[in-house]
Amino acid sequence: PGFYVDRDVVRGVDVRVKRGAVVTGTVTSRRNGEPVQGAEVVVHGPDFQHQDGGGLFGGWLGDPNNVPAQTVTTDKQGRFRIANAYTGGAGEVQLMLKLEINHSEHLVEVVPVNVAEGGEIDLGLVELTPGGRIRGVAYGKDGKALAGGTVILTRPGGAGSFFSETRTLDARGRFSLGGLKAGTYEVSVYNAEEASSLLLFTEAPSETVYVEEGGEAEVDIRLSDG
């Protein structure tokens, strides 16, 4: 609330802060039960939907409930600890948060959790499903590896497919995209000049490939002479 400043005295600026909640858990892989190190656990509000992040503006829009950004990473044992999770505005007794768990080799998992001020919650084991992977090599018109180009992965007709994944080709023209849901994907490639300009919105060489859950698919692409 507002406060009054007198000539030599400032009144009414006592500030009461709320205690956050403590949320802990252990992330494991559904493939073998082993702990998953390096998984990111991101705190979101109750209206968060994971597919919203796949659109054109994605994460630029921020959290739909204005929950402060907070991210922790799992350790070697797959454990995480959120020490001061947001518990809502003034007058709210309990708030449902959504924890978005990301790892490059697994599918994203969203876990709801109800938190109260000063509360402590242990989620126990949280299992991640292994994702598929698409890897390959892109070649230029001259048949040489397309170093420094860009590969864009989309799901034709799928929700949130626009620019769903983007990678830069390495010095040998190689790329690898993991953590994918089972399904059919379209892989498009651009050279370095196109990737740095608006030509990204023009038609590009592409290949369609199917990847199984936890499986791996290979695809090679060559720029056309057209």
Side-chain angles (χ1 to χ4, degrees):
F3 56 89
Y4 178 76
V5 180
D6 206 343
R7 183 180 182 88
D8 298 310
V9 179
V10 179
R11 298 184 178 88
V13 288
D14 295 332
V15 179
R16 297 185 62 187
V17 296
K18 297 179 62 175
R19 292 180 59 199
V22 176
V23 183
T24 58
T26 301
V27 179
T28 62
S29 175
R30 190 168 279 117
R31 173 186 288 139
N32 51 21
E34 294 292 325
V36 177
Q37 180 182 3
E40 286 192 340
V41 183
V42 187
V43 178
H44 295 286
D47 296 324
F48 169 78
Q49 298 293 329
H50 169 64
Q51 58 265 31
D52 294 343
L56 175 60
F57 298 103
W60 299 355
L61 299 177
D63 185 83
N65 303 101
N66 292 321
V67 169
Q70 190 172 15
T71 302
V72 298
T73 305
T74 56
D75 62 15
K76 292 182 179 180
Q77 286 74 44
R79 299 174 303 192
F80 68 88
R81 185 176 189 270
I82 303 170
N84 192 28
Y86 181 71
T87 57
E92 293 187 45
V93 178
Q94 194 170 51
L95 176 71
M96 186 187 81
L97 296 176
K98 287 184 178 178
L99 304 184
E100 178 191 14
I101 305 176
N102 301 278
H103 186 263
S104 60
E105 301 297 325
H106 295 78
L107 303 185
V108 174
E109 188 77 20
V110 178
V111 181
V113 55
N114 289 313
V115 295
E117 182 179 355
E120 295 191 17
I121 300 172
D122 184 3
L123 297 178
L125 295 180
V126 180
E127 289 187 316
L128 298 186
T129 300
R133 177 170 292 277
I134 298 175
R135 65 173 74 247
V137 181
Y139 300 93
K141 298 175 183 179
D142 56 3
K144 297 181 180 179
L146 194 65
T150 295
V151 166
I152 297 178
L153 182 72
T154 57
R155 293 194 69 177
S161 64
F162 190 76
F163 286 2
S164 58
E165 289 286 348
T166 303
R167 293 290 186 276
T168 299
L169 300 171
D170 69 11
R172 297 182 180 180
R174 300 173 301 186
F175 64 90
S176 180
L177 303 106
L180 305 174
K181 292 183 179 180
T184 300
Y185 291 84
E186 186 173 274
V187 185
S188 304
V189 63
Y190 299 84
N191 61 35
E193 290 75 20
E194 292 171 331
S196 62
S197 71
L198 292 178
L199 291 176
L200 274 175
F201 294 94
T202 63
E203 185 176 352
S206 62
E207 294 286 345
T208 300
V209 59
Y210 180 82
V211 61
E212 298 179 349
E213 182 179 296
E216 186 173 296
E218 293 191 11
V219 56
D220 293 343
I221 306 177
R222 178 171 176 169
L223 291 180
S224 66
D225 295 324

